[in-house]
Amino acid sequence: MAETLHFSVPIENRKERYRELFTQWKALIAGERDEIACFANTAAALAEALGFFWVGFYRVIEEELVLGPFQGPIACTRIRKGRGVCGASWLRNETILVSNVDEFPGHIACSSASKSEIVIPIRDKQGHILAILDIDSDKLDDFNIEDQEQLEQLCVELQNHLYD
Ligand code: SME
């Protein structure tokens, strides 16, 4: 396993950063099947590669999303189905991209610095949501369809790796 991540392009070149991240991230999680360990390094790698304000996982435990490994400021620990962007993604069973969190009804503001957000479900082989990946940016409108495609791909690879 590499001790540090290496990037050859500036952080603004997000497309290339994703490409460089994915190669290293696959090596990082290879051989480790523990969910918490993989979530923890995935959150750290995404935060380092792309500089997001908050990157983390919430796991479905009984009828709530419970805070898992993350990078960034402290966050709310439990989210009910349908609540906030995370709970809405779980309920609707789809990725949610929010360009301005102030315009999302029911958004849960863990930090006033958070301006835009993307939430992606992570499913088992049967399609049940087991966790969600939540990424917040301190910039408005910081996520586009390219981010969505890249991050959904990462989540599919993560679920194939963890829940085979
Ligand atoms: N904003 C999220 C809550 C989690 S924090 O951003 C880390 C939401 O509305 O679900």
Side-chain angles (χ1 to χ4, degrees), residues 54 58 75 79 84-86 107-108 110 117 134 136:
W54 198 93
Y58 282 88
I79 299 174
V85 186
C86 296
H107 168 257
I108 301 164
C110 292
E117 179 162 356
D134 178 18
D136 290 16

Side-chain angles (χ1 to χ4, degrees), residues 18-52:
Y18 276 120
R19 205 184 62 73
E20 293 189 338
L21 168 67
F22 277 24
T23 314
Q24 297 174 81
W25 171 74
K26 282 179 195 163
L28 189 63
I29 62 164
E32 179 54 71
R33 298 289 294 271
D34 181 82
E35 184 184 64
I36 295 285
C38 289
F39 284 177
N41 264 343
T42 301
L46 278 167
E48 184 177 337
L50 300 155
F52 294 126

